Amino acid sequence: MSLIVMKFGGSSVGDAERMKRVANRIVERKREGHQCVVVVSAMGDTTDDLIDLTKQICTVTPPAREMDMLLSTGEQVSVALLSMAIHSLGYEAVSFTGWQAGLYTEAVHGKARITDMKPDRVKKALADNKIVIVAGFQGMTEEGEITTLGRGGSDTTAVALAAGIQADVCEIFTDVDGVYSTDPRIVNCARKLSEISYDEMLELANLGAAVLHPRAVEYAKNYNVTLVVRSSFNHNEGTNVKEEAAMEQGIVVRGIAYDKNVARISILGVEEKPGQLAKVFTALAKEQIDVDIIVQSGVLNGLADFSFTVALSDADKAQSVIEGIRGEVGFREVTSESNLVKVSIVGAGMVSTPGVAAKMFEVISDLGISILMVSTSEIKTSCVIENGRLNEVILALHSAYGLDTDSTVFVGGPSERR
């Protein structure tokens, strides 16, 4: 008998029939003799519907605390209904909110990070032979305030619980039956990976691959939680995420990811003197704006231009922050560009294989597409390009690196939201 954490996203429990199917899946595991802790997201589009309601009610930005109070209700509906579905199958289940399950976070609303796990009630329910259902995406501060964890929060809840109760495995159920070499909605002959390292998965997740959230992978790596990504729509073998993964013969690039949530901010005519970049990025950091790729041009007549990328949702705020320090930094103008996408290749073998990045540049160039920015590390290369021909670029890169297969990927439903 093993202790299993199972996480199901919003599309997996999107309606009553899917909820019943998930309940049967959980009971199957229980019948096999396993102890089961289940983490669930809000049903289908519940969260989006709640956000739409706030727009009808509020003429200004609503308080972050009240948004967390509202959005946390979506998962509470899911856990209660799933517990009822399991009871109807003749098995004992108990549902907990995130805070009842002992998940504590920092005092940040909307994207709080987990600071501690005290899963005493979860352990007691397991000792009483109950199936435990926990609301994902939410927690509580030490002062008793409800918080939400942001996108991917249910993945992170599941991994944190698995670490806290020392589960044997944490299974992430989604609409595809594993981690693929790229988005199977673009490349239907994508290669399913039987296993992938934490580092490779973390890069792919950070670079836009939606199958796992970066914070969940980071947590799994830090606490050595065994992760398995598998489909909630079939019983196929999934992908194991682990410390080290075996390399496939001849496959250097393991995955191709993309991120459409990209904007480029350019600061033009900056006075060239020490401390300028520090002033800019310190101001952005104070406003919780994450910066990705940074490129500085050469100096001409004592002036330089530099550009950096931020999340598209942060673009206006970033531009406003920079305008606010014009007096300190001194520059001619600041501009913002959207309609961009970041395409990335990832593979642990890239560090010891010459020419991998060169092939990427060549493939994109042969398509007549300009590369606007480049970023590299030991196991990844990223290019920022215009968004219009993304699918064409992904397909070409996938073929160029020998990742195409003869099989067709099964996709069970709409992509998970959190």
Side-chain angles (χ1 to χ4, degrees):
M1 182 174 71
S2 59
L3 175 53
I4 301 172
V5 174
M6 309 167 73
K7 180 264 176 177
F8 294 91
S11 68
S12 298
V13 293
D15 55 37
E17 287 306 311
R18 291 187 177 191
M19 187 78 73
K20 291 177 183 177
R21 183 168 58 200
V22 166
N24 277 297
R25 189 77 177 257
I26 296 163
V27 166
E28 281 179 20
R29 284 302 180 86
K30 185 66 176 176
R31 285 176 184 150
E32 291 169 359
H34 303 296
Q35 291 181 297
C36 300
V37 176
V38 184
V39 175
V40 190
S41 297
M43 295 175 66
D45 294 327
T46 299
T47 302
D48 289 339
D49 292 342
L50 291 172
I51 292 172
D52 288 342
L53 271 176
T54 66
K55 294 176 181 177
Q56 297 174 41
I57 296 292
C58 301
T59 56
V60 296
T61 302
R65 179 191 182 277
E66 303 309 325
M67 283 298 294
D68 276 0
M69 183 70 75
L70 175 68
L71 297 183
S72 65
T73 63
E75 277 69 21
Q76 292 179 52
V77 172
S78 293
V79 295
L81 289 174
L82 185 56
S83 181
M84 293 175 192
I86 291 170
H87 273 278
S88 71
L89 296 173
Y91 285 78
E92 282 197 85
V94 59
S95 63
F96 292 136
T97 62
W99 45 96
Q100 288 175 321
L103 196 150
Y104 288 85
T105 76
E106 62 187 359
V108 175
H109 289 290
K111 52 180 179 180
R113 289 183 174 272
I114 298 170
T115 57
D116 198 7
M117 279 298 308
K118 301 175 183 177
D120 297 337
R121 294 186 67 179
V122 174
K123 291 178 179 178
K124 183 180 184 305
L126 288 170
D128 292 337
N129 201 34
K130 294 178 181 178
I131 297 170
V132 181
I133 316 295
V134 177
F137 180 65
Q138 59 185 243
M140 184 177 69
T141 68
E142 292 288 349
E143 292 73 33
E145 291 292 324
I146 294 172
T147 55
T148 62
L149 309 183
R151 288 225 175 257
S154 292
D155 285 354
T156 309
T157 300
V159 175
L161 260 177
I165 63 176
Q166 296 184 314
D168 294 286
V169 65
C170 178
E171 297 182 328
I172 307 293
F173 290 84
T174 181
D175 57 326
V176 291
D177 58 357
V179 178
Y180 280 81
S181 51
T182 194
D183 186 345
R185 297 167 190 83
I186 294 177
V187 182
N188 62 11
C189 61
R191 178 183 299 264
K192 186 168 87 170
L193 308 176
S194 59
E195 55 185 42
I196 187 170
S197 69
Y198 290 129
D199 288 337
E200 289 173 318
M201 190 67 247
L202 186 57
E203 284 284 13
L204 285 171
N206 274 315
L207 295 167
V211 68
L212 280 174
H213 193 273
R215 277 195 287 173
V217 182
E218 184 178 19
Y219 213 104
K221 177 178 171 64
N222 290 342
Y223 292 91
N224 198 30
V225 174
T226 300
L227 282 177
V228 179
V229 179
R230 60 196 321 162
S231 175
S232 58
F233 298 92
N234 61 45
H235 288 72
N236 294 347
E237 291 294 323
T239 299
N240 292 295
V241 185
K242 51 198 288 191
E243 185 59 42
E244 291 185 5
M247 295 285 293
E248 291 184 67
Q249 185 66 32
I251 302 297
V252 176
V253 171
R254 303 265 284 167
I256 301 170
Y258 64 90
D259 184 2
K260 293 182 178 181
N261 184 31
V262 176
R264 178 167 70 164
I265 308 295
S266 298
I267 308 178
L268 309 177
V270 182
E271 297 177 22
E272 175 61 18
K273 58 183 180 182
Q276 296 289 69
L277 291 181
K279 291 176 184 177
V280 170
F281 295 115
T282 298
L284 293 169
K286 286 180 179 178
E287 296 300 322
Q288 303 294 312
I289 298 173
D290 290 327
V291 175
D292 187 13
I293 303 173
I294 304 170
V295 175
Q296 180 173 343
S297 67
V299 179
L300 181 63
N301 298 325
L303 301 176
D305 300 336
F306 67 90
S307 302
F308 56 90
T309 59
V310 296
L312 187 59
S313 55
D314 284 336
D316 291 342
K317 185 178 179 181
Q319 198 165 352
S320 176
V321 168
I322 294 165
E323 288 287 3
I325 59 171
R326 180 186 286 270
E328 298 177 52
V329 177
F331 55 85
R332 186 173 72 253
E333 64 175 320
V334 56
T335 64
S336 175
E337 300 168 74
S338 56
N339 195 34
L340 303 175
V341 63
K342 180 172 66 176
V343 180
S344 307
I345 56 172
V346 174
M350 289 172 56
V351 66
S352 57
T353 308
V356 179
K359 181 181 286 188
M360 182 183 195
F361 304 150
E362 182 181 357
V363 167
I364 295 174
S365 175
D366 287 347
L367 292 172
I369 297 171
S370 297
I371 297 173
L372 306 177
M373 305 178 83
V374 175
S375 174
T376 64
S377 74
E378 288 185 339
I379 66 170
K380 65 96 174 172
T381 299
S382 299
C383 295
V384 176
I385 61 173
E386 291 186 353
N387 188 20
R389 297 172 65 186
L390 170 64
N391 289 15
E392 195 177 346
V393 170
I394 297 291
L395 286 162
L397 288 171
H398 200 267
S399 296
Y401 288 110
L403 295 172
D404 293 348
T405 68
D406 295 329
S407 57
T408 301
V409 180
F410 170 83
V411 180
S415 59
E416 303 289 9
R417 292 185 179 274
R418 67 171 190 240

